[in-house]
């Protein structure tokens, strides 16, 4: 198991706060804090999804009565306990069930995956070949490269829902990828650069210092005289 990977229940792909201060406002986090999140030596992956949000996520999936559901990081069961069927399985490293050792054949995998090993996690999802791969992730983590991996494996992005979770870093989103479905998003991985502009050499022209002019202020006093009386 990855030594930096602490699986727990519904795990947030979003990296949340870098401090343990309850008053931290992560919706306006500075770039230095964001940098520290990326560079910290031990990942802070365990963030439990609120039950109400887990239910919203579950309800976003078009499922069949015969589907086998998989929660790959069960923890408290905020997802697992609300699945609409008893035809379900789970993984939880704290219970000795490592997702990377799972060999089942689920129809639906729904998760709030760990940020620190997201690439490996997505590839494991693809390897299991479910009909639906659904994730709650940070908005900045839905990269074109990851979409491309899923599309090459036959998955189209069919649903997206943006949302905000208190104290999670930035905006999050629910994304549903379905096997053999057309994607609702187009992407281009070309890196575009600015057009080259011919440099124009501008000679510096030094102007002679202007002579100082004496400023003369003249004040004008206006007197008001009423107009003569009008004749009838």
């Amino acid at each position: 198991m990855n030594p930096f990977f602490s699986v727990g229940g519904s795990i947030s792909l979003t990296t949340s706060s870098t401090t343990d201060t309850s008053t931290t406002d992560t919706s306006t986090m500075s770039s230095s804090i964001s940098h520290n999140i990326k560079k910290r030596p031990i990942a802070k992956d365990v963030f439990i999804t609120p039950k109400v949000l887990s239910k919203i996520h579950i309800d976003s999936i078009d499922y069949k009565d015969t589907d086998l559901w998989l929660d790959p990081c069960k923890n408290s069961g905020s997802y697992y306990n609300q699945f609409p069927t008893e035809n379900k399985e789970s993984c939880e490293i704290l219970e000795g069930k490592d997702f990377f050792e799972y060999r089942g054949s689920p129809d639906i995998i729904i998760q709030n995956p760990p940020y620190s090993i997201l690439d490996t996690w997505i590839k494991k999802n693809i390897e299991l070949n479910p009909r639906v791969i659904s994730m709650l992730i940070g908005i900045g983590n839905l990269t074109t490269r990851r979409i491309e991996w899923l599309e090459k494996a036959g998955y189209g992005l069919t649903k997206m829902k943006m949302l905000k979770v208190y104290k999670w870093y930035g905006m999050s989103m629910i994304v549903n990828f379905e096997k053999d479905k057309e994607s609702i998003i187009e992407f281009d991985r070309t890196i575009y650069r600015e057009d080259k502009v011919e440099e124009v050499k501008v000679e510096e022209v030094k102007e002679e210092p202007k002579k100082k002019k004496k400023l003369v202020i003249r004040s004008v006093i206006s007197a008001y005289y009423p107009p003569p009386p009008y004749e009838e």
Side-chain angles (χ1 to χ4, degrees), residues 113-131:
Y115 172 81
S116 66
I117 52 171
L118 184 56
D119 286 354
T120 310
W121 193 272
I122 291 174
K123 289 176 180 178
K124 175 63 178 180
N125 273 255
I126 293 172
E127 176 189 318
L128 292 172
N129 196 37
R131 191 183 76 258

Side-chain angles (χ1 to χ4, degrees), residues 130-159:
R131 191 183 76 258
V132 178
I133 295 175
S134 185
M135 296 178 285
L136 173 62
I137 62 175
I139 192 169
N141 298 114
L142 184 66
T143 62
T144 53
R145 181 184 62 168
R146 289 166 179 157
I147 295 173
E148 188 175 60
W149 288 345
L150 286 153
E151 285 199 353
K152 284 184 175 179
Y155 291 92
L157 177 58
T158 57
K159 288 184 182 179

Side-chain angles (χ1 to χ4, degrees), residues 5-206:
F5 176 40
S6 175
V7 179
S10 306
I11 298 180
S12 174
L13 154 64
T14 50
T15 49
S16 192
S17 170
T18 56
T19 68
D20 293 325
T21 306
S22 59
T23 56
T24 300
D25 180 5
T26 57
S27 64
T28 56
M29 203 172 280
S30 68
S31 60
S32 62
I33 293 178
S34 178
H35 178 77
N36 290 336
I37 288 174
K38 295 177 182 177
K39 298 299 180 181
R40 60 190 172 197
I42 299 178
K44 188 175 180 182
D45 281 329
V46 182
F47 296 97
I48 307 301
T49 307
K51 289 181 180 179
V52 64
L53 180 53
S54 297
K55 185 63 167 61
I56 290 171
H57 191 176
I58 290 167
D59 290 344
S60 74
I61 295 175
D62 296 325
Y63 64 89
K64 302 174 183 178
D65 293 338
T66 56
D67 282 337
L68 173 62
W69 293 64
L70 174 65
D71 181 349
C73 35
K74 180 184 173 185
N75 197 270
S76 64
S78 61
Y79 279 98
Y80 183 80
N81 294 339
Q82 298 190 87
F83 285 163
T85 178
E86 291 304 314
N87 189 25
K88 57 186 180 181
E89 295 179 347
S90 67
C91 297
E92 174 50 59
I93 198 67
L94 299 177
E95 298 176 0
K97 299 178 182 179
D98 191 334
F99 176 52
F100 294 107
E101 296 176 358
Y102 177 81
R103 297 293 181 268
S105 300
D107 298 292
I108 298 169
I109 303 178
I110 182 171
Q111 63 228 293
N112 189 351
Y115 172 81
S116 66
I117 52 171
L118 184 56
D119 286 354
T120 310
W121 193 272
I122 291 174
K123 289 176 180 178
K124 175 63 178 180
N125 273 255
I126 293 172
E127 176 189 318
L128 292 172
N129 196 37
R131 191 183 76 258
V132 178
I133 295 175
S134 185
M135 296 178 285
L136 173 62
I137 62 175
I139 192 169
N141 298 114
L142 184 66
T143 62
T144 53
R145 181 184 62 168
R146 289 166 179 157
I147 295 173
E148 188 175 60
W149 288 345
L150 286 153
E151 285 199 353
K152 284 184 175 179
Y155 291 92
L157 177 58
T158 57
K159 288 184 182 179
M160 299 174 65
K161 182 183 180 70
M162 292 177 57
L163 48 91
K164 176 65 184 169
V165 182
Y166 180 63
K167 289 192 178 181
W168 287 11
Y169 177 50
M171 293 294 291
S172 298
M173 62 195 311
I174 291 170
V175 290
N176 292 351
F177 289 88
E178 296 185 61
K179 195 79 170 180
D180 302 323
K181 290 291 184 71
E182 186 176 351
S183 183
I184 61 173
I185 192 171
E186 293 183 8
F187 65 89
D188 184 351
R189 293 193 63 193
T190 304
I191 298 176
Y192 295 94
R193 301 181 185 278
E194 293 181 2
D195 298 329
K196 289 185 178 180
V197 179
E198 186 178 348
E199 293 184 2
V200 179
K201 187 175 181 181
V202 180
E203 294 184 1
E204 185 178 354
V205 179
K206 292 185 178 180

